[in-house]
Amino acid sequence: MKKEIEKSRVLPGRKFSLKEHNTSYTGDLEKDAGKAELDLTKEELNKLQETLYAADSHAVLVIFQAMDAAGKDSAIAHVMSGLNPQGCQVYSFKTPTSEEYDHDFLWRHYKALPERGRIGIHNRSHYENVLVCKVHPEYVLNEKIPGYDAVKKLDDKFWKRRYESIRNFEKHISDNGTLVIKFFLYVSKDEQKERFLERIENPVKNWKFSSSDITEREKWGDYMGAYEEAIGETSTEQAPWYVIPADKKWYARLLISQILEHHLKEMNLKFPVLGEEEMAKLEEIQRSLLLGG
């Protein structure tokens, strides 16, 4: 899958267009083979997570962004199902609270960062501030930023500064030991329609559907433009974006898991090695136990 990983990565410094990505791409894989590969990859991720936890020197932040019904929740559930829950934490970000609005837009996300040794998953993230807020700029006014008391004042310079803030934030946490990996689950409008219909027609899935989903769907073009600009502005060497074809859920899950495996292996983490004094203590305890102590 090395070719597929490289194909989905958005390289910094190059013009980025979503038109270059196919939402239904599955490579040369068939579904059954893909599911078998996913099982093997999850086993490997479990081993890599154990090393990450034991080394206690780095953290991993995994960001998921997507349109409604793209499969974020199920991707998180399937890909992370093989991990040890003790070393994993998931945050789902909703509309900011009044307390959160009284701080800068990154404050609540900084508080939710994983500590060393852990994998943190952000289901939606600080990118909502350049995605949904770009499509609905009136939401920015709730932040009470000095000098920005009207939508017409939110010009290109404002959004450029916001992208810069995000790049600086991600560089800072990366420099301090947090690996940042960002996934955009790219689903087609037709596939989203089919998934919405399934949620409406299946009583068990009714709870997943909201009338507001249709309101946002009507702004599809605006959202694609916002995603394209945000991804192009913030995909860096330290915090890369990956565009994941999401029309076929089984393939999206496999590609995400293999990208995670790739990055965790690149970290080249090792289990801690005890010093001579600690090893001597262990040997002494071992002898005691063997002698019936």
Side-chain angles (χ1 to χ4, degrees), residues 273-287:
V273 177
L274 297 180
E276 291 183 8
E277 185 176 340
E278 287 298 316
M279 286 299 298
K281 287 181 181 179
L282 283 182
E283 290 172 1
E284 183 180 340
I285 292 170
Q286 181 186 41
R287 285 195 297 270

Side-chain angles (χ1 to χ4, degrees), residues 57-72:
S57 59
H58 292 73
V60 177
L61 174 62
V62 185
I63 290 171
F64 285 89
Q65 290 286 159
M67 295 294 286
D68 294 314
K72 294 191 313 301

Side-chain angles (χ1 to χ4, degrees), residues 11-252:
L11 298 176
R14 290 178 56 181
K15 186 172 177 57
F16 167 66
S17 173
L18 283 173
K19 292 179 181 178
E20 298 172 358
H21 297 265
N22 182 353
T23 61
S24 60
Y25 180 83
T26 59
D28 300 324
L29 276 176
E30 297 294 333
K31 186 174 182 178
D32 288 344
K35 285 186 172 183
E37 276 197 43
L38 177 59
D39 288 338
L40 293 173
T41 305
K42 285 196 290 188
E43 290 179 11
E44 188 63 28
L45 283 175
N46 181 269
K47 297 174 185 176
L48 290 166
Q49 183 203 15
E50 186 178 4
T51 311
L52 173 74
Y53 189 83
D56 197 31
S57 59
H58 292 73
V60 177
L61 174 62
V62 185
I63 290 171
F64 285 89
Q65 290 286 159
M67 295 294 286
D68 294 314
K72 294 191 313 301
D73 293 346
S74 63
I76 292 169
H78 282 78
V79 174
M80 307 304 171
S81 62
L83 300 180
N84 184 337
Q86 292 186 93
C88 217
Q89 55 198 51
V90 181
Y91 285 90
S92 295
F93 291 96
K94 307 296 183 183
T95 302
T97 64
S98 57
E99 180 189 19
E100 290 166 346
Y101 271 134
D102 277 337
H103 292 81
D104 70 89
F105 77 95
L106 290 169
W107 179 74
R108 65 175 182 159
H109 304 285
Y110 200 99
K111 291 204 317 176
L113 290 175
E115 57 262 42
R116 299 188 193 283
R118 290 179 175 267
I119 296 175
I121 300 154
H122 287 189
N123 185 351
R124 300 192 188 277
S125 67
H126 48 286
Y127 280 95
E128 292 295 283
N129 296 278
V130 290
L131 294 170
V132 66
C133 287
K134 189 79 179 291
V135 176
H136 298 279
E138 65 274 14
Y139 293 170
V140 177
L141 304 184
N142 293 324
E143 299 178 35
K144 296 175 284 188
I145 303 170
Y148 293 98
D149 55 357
V151 168
K152 64 181 180 181
K153 294 184 179 180
L154 302 174
D155 55 10
D156 287 343
K157 289 183 179 179
F158 172 84
W159 296 110
K160 289 289 185 183
R161 283 196 295 272
R162 187 148 281 199
Y163 296 135
E164 183 180 17
S165 293
I166 289 174
R167 289 193 300 269
N168 289 340
F169 167 65
E170 292 174 350
K171 182 179 186 302
H172 172 71
I173 62 175
S174 176
D175 287 345
N176 284 274
T178 296
L179 169 67
V180 184
I181 310 170
K182 302 173 292 195
F183 296 114
F184 170 49
L185 275 62
Y186 187 27
V187 70
S188 67
K189 195 174 183 181
D190 287 342
E191 180 62 23
Q192 187 197 55
K193 174 183 174 181
E194 292 304 313
R195 294 180 187 178
F196 277 171
L197 288 171
E198 182 184 2
R199 290 180 177 184
I200 294 169
E201 293 164 3
N202 186 345
V204 176
K205 295 187 176 183
N206 284 172
W207 67 273
K208 289 186 173 183
F209 185 77
S210 169
S211 58
S212 63
D213 295 342
I214 295 300
T215 304
E216 297 307 289
R217 176 178 166 83
E218 291 171 355
K219 299 180 180 295
W220 186 275
D222 294 336
Y223 271 107
M224 292 303 103
Y227 269 108
E228 198 166 81
E229 184 171 359
I231 292 171
E233 288 278 354
T234 60
S235 193
T236 62
E237 288 295 336
Q238 289 178 303
W241 270 106
Y242 289 90
V243 178
I244 306 297
D247 282 1
K248 306 297 181 184
K249 289 186 178 182
W250 64 266
Y251 182 77

